[in-house]
Amino acid sequence: MNVLVTGGAGYIGSVCVEALLDAGHRVTVLDNLSEGHRSAVDARAAFVEGCLSDAAKVRATLQQSGAEVILHFAASALVGESMAQPGKYFRNNVANGLTLLEAAVAAGVRKFVFSSTCATYGIPDVVPIAEEAPQQPVNPYGESKLIFEKLLRWFHRIHGLEFVAFRYFNAAGASERFGEHHRVEAHLIPNVLKVALGQTPHCEIFGADYPTPDGTCVRDYVHILDLAQAHILAMQPGKQGFFNLGNGDGYSVREVIRACEKISGQAIKALEKPHRPGDPPRLVAAATKAINELGWRPKYPKLDDIVATAWRWHQRHPNGYAD
Ligand code: UDP
């Protein structure tokens, strides 16, 4: 199939591009490289540097690629940043996403696969969280993704556009070739592994008095190769709707740090800091819908295995991508 991947130079997008190519699909990546890296784009893919705010470029790229399916990863995706710059989140994730959505309908795209997030649930009443749980985001990042989910519902109803929206829990790990490198690293696992690599003296725990067993936030970590597999399954005709992608196991920040110590064999110093604004205490997926309806079978459900792949990638790429 011809697939257009927005954000294909980013962390999750780059690994999905690799998996799509391995599965025999033809891939065009559209990315403005604001967060992504040119060298994270598999050489077998066509690459177009451009921004989703540029409607003419989006339309031309869709036409040239002959895309039947769009995988839409491009987004701003940091909870903390969204609490400081909400406009950036609504512009990039809603307004620019809408430009892509309208172009997709005009080009007769068959399927739209969207990267949504568990941040759309806000602070859940019931954990594990099922897809039908109330969605009351507590940060602009989650709100921006929820608004786009609603746009998808309307475009499906009015234009018949088939979509799958994946609510990712915490993407982590690496493939053999592609891994996690943000220019300003905000995520837990890469920041903890930087200490193991000797690049920083300590990591930080954002809040140790949450209502969780050890006081630190609990998250459900899911391997990016498993996320990639879910996207390929979602491309099948007839697959439609909203799906959680997580493993159903919650790990606290302290448990993640301990896993990183075990895998790296290094002691990791951690300092307790205040809460990061916008962080819910506990986010764990009920992910049976993806298993039952898409046939999703995660290969790396255990945190140690996820961290091991991340550790291997960071050891090989201590400074991330060159560009
Ligand atoms: N976190 C932390 N120290 C860090 C980065 C993150 O304690 O250096 C916490 C963060 O507050 C959250 C969890 O780790 O509770 C996961 O954060 P991350 O940014 O990796 O993903 P998010 O859950 O925001 O998508």
Side-chain angles (χ1 to χ4, degrees):
M1 244 180 268
N2 280 328
V3 187
L4 178 72
V5 180
T6 74
Y11 170 45
I12 305 174
S14 64
V15 173
C16 276
V17 167
E18 181 187 27
L20 286 165
L21 291 161
D22 288 346
H25 298 287
R26 288 174 300 280
V27 177
T28 301
V29 169
L30 176 62
D31 198 302
N32 66 3
L33 300 180
S34 62
E35 298 289 338
H37 308 268
R38 182 65 185 89
S39 52
V41 179
D42 194 304
R44 295 170 290 173
F47 178 73
V48 177
E49 185 171 344
C51 186
L52 295 179
S53 59
D54 183 346
K57 185 141 205 170
V58 171
R59 282 195 296 268
T61 306
L62 267 174
Q63 199 184 12
Q64 278 153 23
S65 66
E68 300 142 89
V69 174
I70 294 178
L71 305 190
H72 177 37
F73 296 96
S76 297
L78 297 176
V79 167
E81 185 186 60
S82 80
M83 294 293 283
Q85 300 179 51
K88 174 176 175 181
Y89 280 71
F90 294 114
R91 182 169 302 102
N92 286 345
N93 297 356
V94 181
N96 294 347
L98 180 58
T99 300
L100 176 69
L101 203 48
E102 290 189 302
V105 170
V109 165
R110 186 180 64 67
K111 179 65 145 286
F112 195 100
V113 183
F114 172 57
S115 302
S116 189
T117 168
C118 61
T120 59
Y121 293 115
I123 299 174
D125 296 330
V126 178
V127 177
I129 309 167
E131 283 82 358
E132 52 281 358
Q135 289 176 290
Q136 287 157 341
V138 292
N139 51 64
Y141 168 57
E143 187 77 68
S144 69
K145 292 284 186 173
L146 178 58
I147 294 170
F148 199 82
E149 285 194 3
K150 292 182 179 174
L151 300 181
L152 283 173
R153 279 186 210 271
W154 286 109
F155 274 63
H156 174 63
R157 199 152 131 188
I158 295 167
H159 296 299
L161 179 66
E162 195 172 272
F163 74 85
V164 166
F166 282 125
R167 296 179 188 145
Y168 303 154
F169 283 65
N170 285 60
S175 74
E176 284 296 317
R177 294 167 59 204
F178 302 112
E180 186 164 16
H181 172 199
H182 300 104
R183 290 183 183 86
V184 178
E185 191 51 77
H187 293 99
L188 180 62
I189 291 177
N191 274 336
V192 175
L193 292 179
K194 274 189 184 149
V195 187
L197 283 169
Q199 295 178 339
T200 44
H202 59 78
C203 63
E204 297 180 337
I205 297 175
F206 297 145
D209 59 353
Y210 280 98
T212 58
D214 69 15
T216 66
C217 284
V218 170
R219 295 288 182 273
D220 182 340
Y221 294 86
V222 53
H223 200 284
I224 43 168
L225 284 169
D226 290 330
L227 295 183
Q229 185 211 346
H231 285 74
I232 290 174
L233 293 166
M235 285 164 45
Q236 300 169 88
K239 304 296 181 193
Q240 159 74 31
F242 301 93
F243 297 87
N244 288 338
L245 291 180
N247 287 306
D249 292 321
Y251 295 97
S252 72
V253 172
R254 287 193 206 284
E255 285 174 319
V256 169
I257 295 170
R258 275 202 295 277
C260 291
E261 287 186 317
K262 189 168 109 186
I263 298 297
S264 68
Q266 305 289 323
I268 293 170
K269 188 172 168 198
L271 303 184
E272 290 179 13
K273 295 283 173 179
H275 290 197
R276 192 174 67 176
D279 267 345
R282 194 159 169 245
L283 293 170
V284 178
T288 45
K289 188 179 175 197
I291 291 167
N292 293 337
E293 293 188 22
L294 300 179
W296 187 50
R297 300 285 178 270
K299 291 197 180 120
Y300 304 91
K302 294 279 160 270
L303 180 65
D304 282 358
D305 297 335
I306 295 173
V307 168
T309 65
W311 175 237
R312 195 164 59 232
W313 193 83
H314 285 290
Q315 280 181 300
R316 286 188 199 151
H317 307 269
N319 300 311
Y321 294 107
D323 53 330

